[in-house]
Amino acid sequence: MTTTTVAAATEYVVQLRRISKRFGGVHALREVDLELRRGEIMGIVGDNGAGKSTLMKILSGAYVADEGEIWVNGRKVRIRNPQDSARLGIAMIYQDLALFNNFDVTKNIFIGRELTRGPMGLVLDKKRMYRETQELIRELKVDIKSPRQNVASMSGGQRQMVACARAIAFKSTILIMDEPTAALGVTEANKLLGLIRNLADKGISILLITQRIPDVLAIADRVFVLKGGERQGVLDVGKVTLDDVVTLIVRGKDRAGEAPGDVMYKSFG
Amino acid sequence: MGMDEQAQVSRSSMGRSSADGLQRHVHLGFLRKYAVVFVLLALILVFSLVSDSFFTVRNLTNIVTQNTYFIIVAVGLSFVLIAGGIDLSVGYQMSLVGVVTAMMMVLWSFPVWAAVVLGLALGTVLGLVNGLIVARIKTFPLIVTLATSVIFQGISYIVSQARTFRDFPSAFQFIAKGRLGGVPLDVWLTLLIVVVVALIYYQTKWGMRVVALGGNEEALRLAGVSTRRTKTWVYMACGFLTAVATMVMVSKANSVQSSFGPGTEFTALTAAIVGGVSFLGGEGNIPALVAGVFVLAVLGNGMQLAGWGVYAQFIVRGAILLAAVAFDEYQKSLKLRVKA
Ligand SMILES: Nc1ncnc2c1ncn2[C@@H]1O[C@H](COP(=O)(O)OP(=O)(O)O)[C@@H](O)[C@H]1O
Ligand SMILES: [Mg+2]
């Protein structure tokens, strides 16, 4: 697929082309391609250490790729740091939640892009920040009681929702989430998945890393499978079963088609 | 960080499962915030009973005027501490800024305003040096500022050649001796600094980012804020306020030598931590910090009046610092348990 036309290219909000990344001797990513469509939820799956977080961190500017290109909205871009990525409308919600336990919800949402007033924007516009947070809580129907609640006192699900609200507050159009449901109970996880589906329906494109394949099958449009830092394939959620996905994760693209017993034997051999 | 917000937190209902732990945590936060004020009142009460000359207008006025420059240094240091760093070099910053400013006036006949401006600039540069090193070499600020402290000490003694400078122009002495509405100028200056810095913390995005830096440095970086730059600014602000404090100290003594200043870092650090500024960053408020300075001041003054001697005061101060740090640690461990 080297001959993409311009029209076809802009169908994608994000294109990663032949992305490679090494950490010393570890080849975390090898020439990975990824295409994300507007308003879709793409699940990113793979075993521990497959390179999921690394790939997404390259898009969010937390890491810089050794090789490869990033295209956003049909334009080739350079993402050297989180600011570059934010300017392109990309927001990442980290696995190790990047929240401030010494701050309330509002400050967590606005830190780094504070609303100000007065000459030279000298004074924090606290009133507006608290009001907008209140509105955001209502709009997203999230389970947070007050914009003044301290995040240190929140459950994992609530904390994820604060992180989502932060991304939405800044009109991010591409949202990356790294195992958001990993530490959540069933009820909270479902609430969060509902919120994610909600956001996608509003036109936000979402990359969702997860180990929970059923979650992906429930809300994603497509699933991207990584193994050993290499792309194994992209599956349409409507056309595959849980087994298909798991098989691809475990065996990789080259052996996914082989007879089950046979491959099980080989893969553990 | 604002008191109103803290109060809100304690009122809003908390998550179900860990409600007990949280309740405890919130009460402790409240206790901690005002504990220092109660300690201060208790000390005042005790020393009023122990010594007749303690609770007099004259003595209380003395306590205030003798501690203005400690407050200014502690407020400057609070930027660094709340941002999660530390600056052990403020004492020798004072030493160096003091002798250089004095030499400009006494030896080289600089106009007072020029000497003061250049002295403040020097202090800011010393802070900048600390800030740049801490932000570039990602190592412990404790070690960095211990090293720069020794360097500043060396420079101070080389520059001053261990001489004492005294009898400054009257315009300079005016900083401490002048009065406005019956109140010494340096008290007004201190009040102004306290108010401005409190406003910076509660009302500006820069203040909010300083607190954020102490709370979660990596998260602040991911939020698109240059943590390097914020760190550098924080040490510069500390250097500037330390230089302001130096002017007050030198003006008050009307004499200075390289041994003036060192030791202030310990007092300011103790006061800050006693005043509830977290040793691990991310927390603190200015009124409590000021109360922290006065706890030490009242203790020193009261013990002196009660005839307990200087060395006993050292022991008590050290013990207080240990107690405050232990309380801080306990507080943090509780918080982590709540989070988990
Ligand atoms: N900062 C890092 N330094 C060194 N190695 C890393 C770093 N981040 C990831 N790796 C390595 O890269 C590989 C991919 O990691 P990661 O992207 O975190 O995988 P996943 O998120 O799929 O579990 C792993 O072998 C991991 O050890
Ligand atoms: Mg990961």
Side-chain angles (χ1 to χ4, degrees):
Chain A
M1 290 274 283
T2 43
T3 53
T4 19
T5 64
V6 176
T10 51
E11 170 198 344
Y12 300 118
V13 284
V14 174
Q15 281 179 289
L16 301 178
R17 296 185 181 169
R18 304 174 72 79
I19 297 286
S20 295
K21 177 77 182 173
R22 277 170 177 277
F23 292 107
V26 180
H27 224 134
L29 295 170
R30 267 181 232 264
E31 307 201 330
V32 176
D33 290 314
L34 178 150
E35 302 84 22
L36 179 70
R37 296 189 185 125
R38 196 175 310 278
E40 83 167 330
I41 299 177
M42 179 184 262
I44 311 286
V45 299
D47 266 336
N48 269 330
K52 307 181 294 292
S53 297
T54 304
L55 185 63
M56 292 299 109
K57 282 180 177 175
I58 285 169
L59 185 55
S60 78
Y63 294 156
V64 178
D66 297 335
E67 278 160 61
E69 297 176 356
I70 302 176
W71 292 64
V72 175
N73 294 319
R75 278 192 319 151
K76 189 179 166 189
V77 295
R78 287 183 66 187
I79 298 178
R80 287 154 300 188
N81 50 47
Q83 289 99 306
D84 286 348
S85 167
R87 264 193 293 275
L88 294 163
I90 301 168
M92 178 155 178
I93 296 168
Y94 292 89
Q95 197 169 6
D96 32 28
L97 273 185
L99 291 185
F100 299 86
N101 285 322
N102 53 336
F103 279 170
D104 63 16
V105 176
T106 304
K107 283 181 179 163
N108 267 285
I109 287 179
F110 283 97
I111 184 76
R113 282 173 286 190
E114 306 83 356
L115 302 180
T116 57
R117 61 190 167 84
M120 300 185 301
L122 210 61
V123 184
L124 282 175
D125 196 342
K126 289 190 179 179
K127 233 189 211 159
R128 234 176 88 214
M129 290 194 282
Y130 281 102
R131 201 179 51 226
E132 289 195 9
T133 304
Q134 182 71 65
E135 280 165 18
L136 212 57
I137 289 173
R138 201 176 319 129
E139 184 190 324
L140 298 177
K141 298 188 185 68
V142 295
D143 193 13
I144 293 167
K145 284 177 189 93
S146 157
R148 291 178 184 275
Q149 189 176 345
N150 210 293
V151 299
S153 66
M154 288 185 162
S155 69
Q158 288 175 313
R159 291 164 66 86
Q160 288 286 350
M161 287 178 181
V162 172
C164 284
R166 177 178 164 78
I168 306 312
F170 296 106
K171 320 270 182 255
S172 305
T173 53
I174 299 156
L175 187 57
I176 308 167
M177 305 184 77
D178 195 345
E179 305 200 23
T181 57
L184 305 188
V186 180
T187 318
E188 279 210 307
N190 284 339
K191 264 187 200 163
L192 186 65
L193 292 175
L195 173 63
I196 295 170
R197 188 64 255 177
N198 220 335
L199 296 177
D201 293 341
K202 285 186 204 285
I204 294 172
S205 316
I206 293 167
L207 288 155
L208 173 67
I209 301 179
T210 185
Q211 302 271 11
R212 298 186 181 181
I213 316 303
D215 285 2
V216 172
L217 297 181
I219 66 160
D221 301 290
R222 295 191 298 157
V223 191
F224 180 98
V225 182
L226 264 178
K227 180 179 164 67
E230 291 185 68
R231 167 177 167 149
Q232 305 302 322
V234 178
L235 307 172
D236 271 316
V237 165
K239 296 177 192 159
V240 293
T241 64
L242 182 65
D243 275 351
D244 297 336
V245 181
V246 172
T247 307
L248 197 55
I249 289 173
V250 176
R251 298 175 195 166
K253 59 178 187 281
D254 299 330
R255 295 190 295 170
E258 298 174 25
D262 215 31
V263 179
M264 288 301 269
Y265 176 71
K266 274 190 207 159
S267 61
F268 292 111
Chain B
M1 81 198 131
M3 291 186 186
D4 50 338
E5 290 146 38
Q6 195 76 18
Q8 280 284 349
V9 172
S10 58
R11 248 180 274 134
S12 67
S13 50
M14 301 291 173
R16 296 131 302 238
S17 53
S18 51
D20 287 351
L22 282 171
Q23 219 58 40
R24 225 164 114 214
H25 159 79
V26 170
H27 284 318
L28 260 178
F30 181 84
L31 185 80
R32 182 201 167 110
K33 223 164 180 131
Y34 298 102
V36 61
V37 177
F38 292 119
V39 170
L40 181 57
L41 293 177
L43 283 175
I44 290 174
L45 186 72
V46 167
F47 287 121
S48 301
L49 297 176
V50 171
S51 163
D52 290 338
S53 40
F54 178 81
F55 203 81
T56 59
V57 174
R58 188 180 158 160
N59 189 49
L60 294 181
T61 310
N62 266 343
I63 290 179
V64 173
T65 54
Q66 282 167 1
N67 285 282
T68 48
Y69 74 87
F70 284 116
I71 295 176
I72 300 173
V73 174
V75 167
L77 197 58
S78 80
F79 281 121
V80 175
L81 290 172
I82 290 176
I86 193 167
D87 188 347
L88 289 183
S89 73
V90 291
Y92 280 105
Q93 287 177 40
M94 294 179 81
S95 162
L96 182 51
V97 169
V99 295
V100 169
T101 306
M103 288 169 76
M104 283 191 280
M105 290 186 292
V106 175
L107 297 186
W108 308 321
S109 314
F110 277 40
V112 169
W113 66 267
V116 169
V117 168
L118 290 173
L120 296 179
L122 174 62
T124 313
V125 169
L126 298 182
L128 174 67
V129 168
N130 279 329
L132 286 177
I133 299 174
V134 169
R136 296 281 150 178
I137 314 174
K138 290 183 177 158
T139 182
F140 299 109
L142 192 88
I143 308 297
V144 170
T145 58
L146 186 63
T148 57
S149 175
V150 180
I151 294 172
F152 297 159
Q153 177 184 16
I155 299 175
S156 178
Y157 277 95
I158 287 171
V159 169
S160 74
Q161 295 171 335
R163 286 169 295 178
T164 302
F165 305 95
R166 56 171 64 88
D167 297 328
F168 306 117
S170 57
F172 188 77
Q173 293 185 38
F174 195 68
I175 297 173
K177 293 198 176 123
R179 279 170 181 269
L180 193 74
V183 177
L185 272 188
D186 61 312
V187 174
W188 284 117
L189 180 65
T190 306
L191 204 60
L192 178 74
I193 288 171
V194 164
V195 169
V196 167
V197 171
L199 284 176
I200 287 175
Y201 277 122
Y202 300 145
Q203 299 293 344
T204 72
K205 73 175 181 191
W206 189 76
M208 185 168 150
R209 288 175 177 189
V210 169
V211 182
L213 181 61
N216 189 343
E217 179 173 349
E218 178 63 5
L220 189 63
R221 188 183 77 84
L222 293 172
V225 174
S226 166
T227 50
R228 263 189 188 179
R229 204 176 311 155
T230 310
K231 257 188 211 173
T232 311
W233 273 106
V234 152
Y235 282 90
M236 271 174 82
C238 179
F240 172 76
L241 286 177
T242 300
V244 172
T246 309
M247 300 304 157
V248 173
M249 174 187 77
V250 175
S251 166
K252 200 162 278 188
N254 197 23
S255 100
V256 71
Q257 58 185 51
S258 288
S259 67
F260 281 31
T264 311
E265 70 279 357
F266 183 78
T267 308
L269 193 66
T270 310
I273 291 169
V274 168
V277 173
S278 173
F279 193 62
L280 300 172
E283 242 176 73
N285 73 82
I286 297 299
L289 175 72
V290 174
V293 175
F294 282 120
V295 164
L296 296 187
V298 164
L299 203 69
N301 176 280
M303 287 177 75
Q304 207 166 1
L305 290 182
W308 290 2
V310 172
Y311 301 114
Q313 288 180 40
F314 285 168
I315 296 171
V316 172
R317 278 186 183 207
I320 285 185
L321 180 56
L322 280 178
V325 171
F327 190 41
D328 185 42
E329 282 291 334
Y330 174 65
Q331 180 76 10
K332 291 279 168 187
S333 71
L334 244 187
K335 207 174 267 187
L336 286 178
R337 221 178 308 153
V338 167
K339 215 181 87 188

